[in-house]
Amino acid sequence: MTDDNKATGVSVAIRVRRLISREIAANETVKWQTHDNTIWENNKEVSPYTFDKILLENDTNEDVYGKLAENIVHSAMEGINGTIFAYGQTSSGKTHTMMGTDSDPGIIRRAVKDIFTYCRNKIEERSFLLRIAYLEIYNEKITDLLNPKEKKNLKLRENIRGEIYVKDLLEEVVQEEEDVFLALRNGEQFRHYASTNMNRCSSRSHTIFRIIIESTEKGCEKDDVNKAR
């Protein structure tokens, strides 16, 4: 959710990625033009598309996080559920946007650092419990990436409140940033990857990484708990 779109709670953005080395070697060019939050394809008489935000080739993951994700993370720390969802064809930059690199961390790594910084800043006022879950969806089968050898082909269920959940999915308690990053690295080893014409190391599945945040004001009743995902 962004300040510009509080009425619906949903914001849709486009990220125009820069050319990769293979495309530069083939003398390819960017096929899109943008103006403000409108984008259209070069040399085609088609209607332009308008989105809540458009990120350009020179925007870094830091820019993406600040413009799209930071408010969602901060709201989650106050007890409001939030989702950040990356969608696109292979080689469009989803993994780079969400995971990033050591020099340009992606949304997930920046969110984790933000969450733990928030916890440290509020340590005198609130107690926090953080749990993580990490799953892969491949060929319509769900695998728990935190326990992939024992928990495969998990099933979706619905609770009495009408909420959908994954039965037997592990939720692991984490106490510091490195706990989260270690779990992500371990989980990545069990994902399905393959080479495609567009990407020599393409993920062949969908993943969902979730952080469950519970906090209680110190000195208050146990029932007075903020909970968000």
Side-chain angles (χ1 to χ4, degrees):
M1 183 174 70
T2 67
D3 292 338
D4 299 332
N5 213 342
K6 288 184 177 178
T8 62
V10 176
S11 178
V12 181
I14 289 287
R15 186 178 193 183
V16 181
R17 70 157 173 79
R18 65 188 66 184
L19 297 177
I20 57 178
S21 56
R22 170 176 53 79
E23 295 165 334
I24 295 173
N27 293 320
E28 295 187 24
T29 59
V30 175
K31 295 180 172 58
W32 298 90
Q33 293 187 49
T34 63
H35 178 70
D36 293 333
N37 291 329
T38 300
I39 186 169
W40 64 94
E41 194 169 358
N42 289 340
N43 304 320
K44 288 194 176 181
E45 295 182 0
V46 296
S47 299
Y49 303 95
T50 300
F51 296 90
D52 295 300
K53 280 187 172 58
I54 293 180
L55 289 305
L56 303 179
E57 300 99 307
N58 292 328
D59 284 318
T60 65
N61 281 337
E62 182 178 8
D63 298 323
V64 174
Y65 182 76
K67 294 176 181 179
L68 299 178
E70 190 171 28
N71 285 346
I72 297 173
V73 174
H74 290 177
S75 293
M77 299 308 297
E78 300 296 331
I80 301 174
N81 291 343
T83 299
I84 302 167
F85 183 80
Y87 177 82
Q89 71 178 57
T90 186
S91 196
S92 59
K94 303 182 298 296
T95 300
H96 177 71
T97 297
M98 297 303 290
M99 303 298 292
T101 62
D102 290 339
S103 60
D104 188 21
I107 286 175
I108 290 177
R109 293 167 71 178
R110 292 179 185 276
V112 169
K113 288 183 176 296
D114 241 4
I115 288 169
F116 278 92
T117 296
Y118 183 99
C119 293
R120 286 191 290 268
N121 290 340
K122 296 286 186 178
I123 193 66
E124 300 296 328
E125 306 167 24
R126 304 191 70 86
S127 299
F128 292 91
L129 174 64
L130 304 178
R131 305 192 306 277
I132 60 171
Y134 193 25
L135 65 83
E136 176 189 59
I137 304 170
Y138 178 70
N139 284 346
E140 299 184 2
K141 293 184 178 180
I142 301 173
T143 298
D144 187 339
L145 290 176
L146 297 183
N147 191 8
K149 295 182 179 180
E150 296 183 15
K151 294 190 176 182
K152 297 182 178 180
N153 200 18
L154 302 181
K155 304 300 181 183
L156 293 177
R157 294 288 186 263
E158 183 176 350
N159 62 25
I160 59 174
R161 296 184 297 275
E163 299 169 339
I164 304 299
Y165 69 98
V166 180
K167 188 175 186 296
D168 296 326
L169 182 68
L170 177 66
E171 291 183 353
E172 185 175 306
V173 174
V174 290
Q175 297 183 347
E176 56 187 35
E177 296 167 26
E178 187 53 38
D179 293 341
V180 182
F181 299 145
L182 177 61
L184 285 169
R185 289 195 297 269
N186 290 340
E188 284 294 303
Q189 297 177 24
F190 293 94
R191 288 193 62 190
H192 289 82
Y193 288 91
S195 178
T196 70
N197 290 334
M198 298 183 68
N199 191 344
R200 62 183 176 85
C201 187
S202 175
S203 58
R204 310 307 298 155
S205 64
H206 304 286
T207 60
I208 297 176
F209 177 72
R210 188 168 80 162
I211 302 180
I212 303 96
I213 305 157
E214 293 186 16
S215 71
T216 307
E217 188 173 348
K218 291 185 176 180
C220 290
E221 298 294 330
K222 290 184 178 180
D223 291 339
D224 184 21
V225 176
N226 279 345
K227 184 174 182 179
R229 300 174 175 89

Short mmCIF file of all heavy atoms in Angstrom, two decimals, residues 35 38 53 82 102 126 134 145 156 159 163 190 195:
data_model
loop_
_atom_site.label_atom_id
_atom_site.label_comp_id
_atom_site.label_asym_id
_atom_site.label_seq_id
_atom_site.Cartn_x
_atom_site.Cartn_y
_atom_site.Cartn_z
N HIS A 35 6.71 8.14 -19.51
CA HIS A 35 6.54 9.52 -19.08
C HIS A 35 5.71 9.50 -17.81
O HIS A 35 4.57 9.01 -17.81
CB HIS A 35 5.83 10.36 -20.15
CG HIS A 35 5.60 11.78 -19.71
ND1 HIS A 35 6.62 12.69 -19.56
CD2 HIS A 35 4.43 12.44 -19.37
CE1 HIS A 35 6.11 13.85 -19.16
NE2 HIS A 35 4.81 13.71 -19.03
N THR A 38 3.31 6.52 -17.03
CA THR A 38 2.75 5.94 -18.26
C THR A 38 3.87 5.32 -19.08
O THR A 38 4.97 5.85 -19.16
CB THR A 38 2.04 7.03 -19.09
OG1 THR A 38 0.98 7.59 -18.31
CG2 THR A 38 1.44 6.43 -20.36
N LYS A 53 3.14 3.42 -10.21
CA LYS A 53 4.53 3.89 -10.25
C LYS A 53 5.28 3.15 -11.35
O LYS A 53 4.97 1.99 -11.65
CB LYS A 53 5.23 3.68 -8.90
CG LYS A 53 4.89 4.74 -7.87
CD LYS A 53 5.73 4.58 -6.63
CE LYS A 53 5.55 5.75 -5.66
NZ LYS A 53 4.17 5.94 -5.24
N GLY A 82 0.70 -7.16 5.09
CA GLY A 82 1.15 -6.60 3.81
C GLY A 82 1.74 -7.67 2.92
O GLY A 82 2.30 -8.67 3.40
N ASP A 102 24.95 -8.68 -3.11
CA ASP A 102 25.61 -8.12 -1.93
C ASP A 102 25.76 -6.60 -2.05
O ASP A 102 25.64 -5.87 -1.06
CB ASP A 102 26.98 -8.76 -1.73
CG ASP A 102 26.88 -10.22 -1.28
OD1 ASP A 102 25.80 -10.59 -0.76
OD2 ASP A 102 27.84 -10.97 -1.47
N ARG A 126 8.51 -2.60 23.60
CA ARG A 126 7.74 -3.76 23.16
C ARG A 126 8.62 -5.01 23.13
O ARG A 126 9.84 -4.93 22.98
CB ARG A 126 7.14 -3.53 21.76
CG ARG A 126 6.27 -2.30 21.64
CD ARG A 126 5.51 -2.29 20.32
NE ARG A 126 4.48 -3.32 20.29
CZ ARG A 126 3.25 -3.15 20.78
NH1 ARG A 126 2.89 -1.99 21.33
NH2 ARG A 126 2.36 -4.13 20.71
N TYR A 134 8.99 -20.43 4.36
CA TYR A 134 9.53 -20.31 3.00
C TYR A 134 9.09 -21.54 2.21
O TYR A 134 9.44 -22.67 2.58
CB TYR A 134 11.05 -20.22 3.07
CG TYR A 134 11.75 -19.79 1.80
CD1 TYR A 134 11.12 -19.03 0.82
CD2 TYR A 134 13.09 -20.12 1.59
CE1 TYR A 134 11.79 -18.61 -0.31
CE2 TYR A 134 13.77 -19.70 0.46
CZ TYR A 134 13.11 -18.95 -0.49
OH TYR A 134 13.79 -18.55 -1.62
N LEU A 145 10.58 -25.16 1.95
CA LEU A 145 12.01 -24.96 1.71
C LEU A 145 12.82 -24.87 3.01
O LEU A 145 14.04 -24.91 2.96
CB LEU A 145 12.24 -23.71 0.86
CG LEU A 145 11.78 -23.84 -0.60
CD1 LEU A 145 11.97 -22.52 -1.33
CD2 LEU A 145 12.51 -24.96 -1.32
N LEU A 156 -3.18 -27.28 0.88
CA LEU A 156 -3.85 -26.07 1.31
C LEU A 156 -5.08 -26.43 2.14
O LEU A 156 -5.80 -27.36 1.81
CB LEU A 156 -4.28 -25.23 0.11
CG LEU A 156 -3.17 -24.60 -0.74
CD1 LEU A 156 -3.77 -23.87 -1.93
CD2 LEU A 156 -2.33 -23.64 0.09
N ASN A 159 -9.20 -22.44 7.53
CA ASN A 159 -9.58 -22.51 8.94
C ASN A 159 -11.00 -21.98 9.14
O ASN A 159 -11.67 -21.58 8.18
CB ASN A 159 -8.57 -21.77 9.82
CG ASN A 159 -8.49 -20.28 9.51
OD1 ASN A 159 -9.43 -19.67 8.99
ND2 ASN A 159 -7.35 -19.67 9.83
N GLU A 163 -9.64 -18.33 6.46
CA GLU A 163 -8.28 -18.03 6.02
C GLU A 163 -7.62 -19.28 5.43
O GLU A 163 -7.75 -20.38 5.97
CB GLU A 163 -7.46 -17.51 7.20
CG GLU A 163 -8.01 -16.24 7.83
CD GLU A 163 -7.34 -15.90 9.14
OE1 GLU A 163 -6.75 -16.81 9.77
OE2 GLU A 163 -7.41 -14.73 9.55
N PHE A 190 17.42 -25.85 -2.66
CA PHE A 190 16.47 -26.89 -3.00
C PHE A 190 15.42 -26.44 -4.03
O PHE A 190 14.50 -27.18 -4.34
CB PHE A 190 15.76 -27.38 -1.73
CG PHE A 190 16.69 -28.09 -0.79
CD1 PHE A 190 17.32 -27.41 0.24
CD2 PHE A 190 16.96 -29.43 -0.95
CE1 PHE A 190 18.18 -28.05 1.11
CE2 PHE A 190 17.82 -30.09 -0.09
CZ PHE A 190 18.44 -29.40 0.94
N SER A 195 18.10 -23.99 -17.37
CA SER A 195 18.51 -23.02 -18.39
C SER A 195 17.39 -22.82 -19.40
O SER A 195 16.72 -23.77 -19.80
CB SER A 195 19.77 -23.51 -19.09
OG SER A 195 20.15 -22.61 -20.11
#
